[in-house]
Every structure is written in C-alpha cells, then in structure tokens.
Amino acid sequence: MSVHVVALANYGKAKIVGRLEKTAGIDLSVADDNASLARIVRNAEVLVVPAPNYVPEVAAAVAEAPNLKWIQTSTAGFDPLQRHGVPKGIT
C-alpha cells in the first residue's frame, strides 16, 4: 500500500523530490505552481508545500481533500496555515 504525497517544491525542488521519489511506499505527484497544486491535492494523503504557497486557493482545495491527513511545510514557519486555516483532523 502506498501513500499519495503531493509536493510543491519551488525551494530545493531537486532535493525534496529526489528524496521522496526514493522513499518506498510513496506515490508522488509534483505540482508546478499553486494552481496545479490546488487541482491535484484533492486526492492526496500528504501535502508538502512551502509555507508562503499556502494561499487561500490552496487552503480551499485542502478543505475539499477528504483523504488529506498531514501537511508538511518545506520552509520555516506556518503563519499562512494559521491565517488561511487547516481543517480539523489534518496535522
């Protein structure tokens, strides 16, 4: 069984994507920008995103992602997540 991870990695993309691709049990989808992230996050179980990219458009898509359980910021801070909200049940 694999875990579907969606990543937007505009900071350190090669390193982040490279490590995720090498990790057993991960089904990885890589977003190129916020718009594509908002489209593909709906099927994710894990989201890896730079905190500054957690904008209202992404937050709205996250709210519609029934299987999402975990958001990992790939940059320091989580102020945008607090500002735009994270649904209950997502850590």
Side-chain angles (χ1 to χ4, degrees):
M1 184 172 156
S2 62
V3 175
H4 185 200
V5 177
V6 170
L8 173 63
N10 48 359
Y11 305 103
K13 182 175 185 172
K15 186 177 273 189
I16 292 169
V17 170
R19 288 188 180 180
L20 288 170
E21 286 177 332
K22 292 178 184 175
T23 304
I26 289 182
D27 172 27
L28 179 63
S29 297
V30 179
D32 295 319
D33 53 32
N34 285 353
S36 63
L37 176 65
R39 281 192 307 276
I40 64 176
V41 74
R42 286 168 174 42
N43 298 315
E45 295 169 82
V46 177
L47 171 62
V48 179
V49 62
N53 288 88
Y54 195 84
V55 296
E57 173 185 27
V58 172
V62 163
E64 299 295 321
N67 299 319
L68 190 63
K69 302 291 183 236
W70 177 15
I71 299 174
Q72 176 67 50
T73 60
S74 58
T75 57
F78 57 92
D79 298 356
L81 283 77
Q82 289 179 311
R83 185 176 320 116
H84 304 300
V86 174
K88 291 184 184 225
I90 298 176
T91 57

